[in-house]
Amino acid sequence: MDAKGAGRSLARLLGTWAVTRAVLLLFVFRVYTFPGPDVTSDVSVIYRGWYEVLQQGTFPLDDVTWQYPPAAALAVLSPAVLPFLSYAHGFYVLACLADLVVLALLRYAAGRPERSPRGAWVWVAGVPLLGPTVYARYDVMVTAVAVAALLAGARRPRVMGALTAFGALLKVWPALLLVGAVRRRAWGAAAVTAAGVAMLFAVSMPGAFAFLTFQRDRGTEVESLGALVFHVARHFGWQGEVLLNYGSIEFLGPHVDEVSTAALALTGVAFGWLLLWRLRAARFAPQTLPDAALTAVLLFTVTSRVISPQYLVWLVGLAAVCLAHRASRMGPPALLVVLASFVTVLEFPLGFSHVVMSDWYGVTLLAVRNGLLVAATVTAARRLWRATVPRSAAAPFPPQTTRQEETPVSS
């Protein structure tokens, strides 16, 4: 592409980002009201309440809705850097800046050999499909850290490991980025960073790891895959309830514990598959790292007891990094994730009352969204396996020499 063509392409990309993000900001700033439940209350009420507690040097130990690792405190406290804005408005501006950082990283990566601008377009197009929820949660900030970690990738394994550990201490799931890392330096940097930051929080702020107990006690959230059992069962006389529990709308009643246990068991199966893949994989190319990360996060998302709308931000970000590599095989899963994002905004906030009531419109929306995620997961897993595991491989451990097919990199 000549310089003029490249300039026009960049202008279109930035123009699309600016227009779509301006619309999102108009919604979260309440200039216009987005239909459905108010998605900004998490920031203006819940986050703001946590902010006031965290400023006292302790975690919100009396609030079971605090279910995040200790570094999440940094995201909640971040609006303090914009004292001239209200807490909520400062948070939305910082969320938008994190969004812009992701775009800048993807666009910069597109200029390297064997890279593609497709990833930047996936991010620009996929994020606004989720509606204003994107800027009303801190997940876009975590996704920015995860995208930076994956783009550091094989060239800077220590940077990748440190960013991954920091991301995991923001919201756990970025730990899955390491599943495709073959450099020991990445794992070592992650371990050192995680230990150092965790110790810093543990000795400086009481209750840094109380979130583990709160997470353990969660039930089956109404948007999860397992929740479909109860949505349908309500039409056949199931006598349970739908209540606000541990910060989300969950099913409570007969057999909920069994379904929650089944979800945990499926997560265990997903972990087992990832372990088997890692043992059998013999071909590691530069795109394997993000492809494996997307597959891993998809597996753990669809088997989770909770699938909140903001989880799709993670998947859009990881899909974008995958497609920033021309050789990535994750095109179909990425498309399914983008489609699931559009259905997600129809389900929440637009159709959330229907989901809570379990009427057929709400159940259909949820079944389609979760079906798209399951299809993306299965497709991603099959493509990752076929791209990395030789058909003739018989031994569970690939020969050491095959692991060096990766492009030589510096530390």
Side-chain angles (χ1 to χ4, degrees):
M1 184 183 294
D2 58 24
K4 184 178 292 186
R8 285 196 298 266
S9 177
L10 179 59
R12 285 194 296 268
L13 183 72
L14 294 177
T16 304
W17 183 89
V19 170
T20 54
R21 276 41 176 194
V23 172
L24 292 181
L25 287 172
L26 288 173
F27 283 128
V28 292
F29 275 83
R30 308 287 291 174
V31 176
Y32 298 105
T33 301
F34 200 80
D38 180 14
V39 301
T40 65
S41 61
D42 274 37
V43 175
S44 58
V45 178
I46 299 175
Y47 285 16
R48 178 58 190 266
W50 291 341
Y51 173 82
E52 293 174 355
V53 175
L54 290 166
Q55 282 189 313
Q56 307 304 314
T58 184
F59 286 92
L61 302 179
D62 296 328
D63 187 350
V64 295
T65 62
W66 176 262
Q67 299 175 12
Y68 307 106
L74 301 178
V76 175
L77 290 168
S78 62
V81 304
L82 301 174
F84 48 88
L85 294 175
S86 68
Y87 178 84
H89 289 178
F91 186 91
Y92 304 143
V93 168
L94 291 174
C96 184
L97 287 176
D99 179 357
L100 181 59
V101 166
V102 174
L103 175 61
L105 290 170
L106 291 167
R107 187 63 187 83
Y108 176 76
R112 297 177 182 174
E114 305 303 323
R115 299 294 179 92
S116 168
R118 295 181 305 165
W121 277 108
V122 167
W123 180 255
V124 168
V127 166
L129 292 179
L130 291 165
T133 304
V134 173
Y135 286 174
R137 307 290 188 272
Y138 81 93
D139 295 81
V140 68
M141 302 175 184
V142 184
T143 303
V145 176
V147 168
L150 286 175
L151 291 176
R155 289 179 175 271
R156 297 177 178 85
R158 290 193 178 95
V159 174
M160 185 255 179
L163 287 172
T164 297
F166 179 66
L169 288 169
L170 281 169
K171 207 167 186 181
V172 180
W173 68 266
L176 295 170
L177 305 184
L178 288 169
V179 71
V182 296
R183 299 289 187 178
R184 292 181 180 178
R185 289 188 289 264
W187 287 87
V192 170
T193 302
V197 176
M199 183 176 298
L200 178 64
F201 276 106
V203 300
S204 62
M205 296 180 68
F209 296 96
F211 78 98
L212 295 171
T213 300
F214 298 155
Q215 278 285 353
R216 180 196 62 197
D217 295 334
R218 295 194 73 161
T220 297
E221 189 254 348
V222 294
E223 297 165 282
S224 66
L225 186 62
L228 286 168
V229 173
F230 301 110
H231 283 296
V232 174
R234 292 176 84 181
H235 292 270
F236 296 93
W238 181 72
Q239 296 300 312
E241 299 177 288
V242 177
L243 296 174
L244 180 64
N245 190 49
Y246 287 96
S248 63
I249 306 297
E250 298 182 355
F251 281 113
L252 299 174
H255 308 297
V256 172
D257 288 343
E258 287 88 337
V259 170
S260 296
T261 301
L264 291 173
L266 284 175
T267 299
V269 172
F271 179 81
W273 184 89
L274 285 171
L275 179 60
L276 177 63
W277 167 77
R278 185 56 194 263
L279 294 174
R280 297 291 299 274
R283 297 190 293 264
F284 285 82
Q287 71 273 9
T288 303
L289 183 64
D291 287 359
L294 175 62
T295 303
V297 176
L298 276 167
L299 281 166
F300 281 84
T301 297
V302 299
T303 60
S304 174
R305 293 170 293 172
V306 180
I307 305 181
S308 296
Q310 61 267 25
Y311 292 12
L312 274 292
V313 181
W314 319 341
L315 299 175
V316 171
L318 296 180
V321 179
C322 289
L323 266 62
H325 294 262
R326 294 187 185 276
S328 174
R329 296 170 60 89
M330 292 295 146
L335 176 60
L336 290 168
V337 165
V338 171
L339 291 174
S341 299
F342 175 67
V343 180
T344 294
V345 79
L346 298 180
E347 173 263 312
F348 182 90
L350 294 178
F352 194 60
S353 61
H354 297 278
V355 173
V356 173
M357 291 187 296
S358 299
D359 64 26
W360 286 114
Y361 176 70
V363 173
T364 300
L365 282 178
L366 197 60
V368 171
R369 194 282 300 271
N370 289 350
L372 288 168
L373 290 179
V374 170
T377 303
V378 173
T379 305
R382 290 182 63 186
R383 286 175 167 262
L384 178 66
W385 186 277
R386 290 177 177 177
T388 56
V389 178
R391 292 188 179 185
S392 59
F397 293 90
Q400 182 65 27
T401 54
T402 62
R403 290 186 176 272
Q404 304 306 318
E405 294 179 12
E406 189 179 22
T407 303
V409 294
S410 63
S411 60

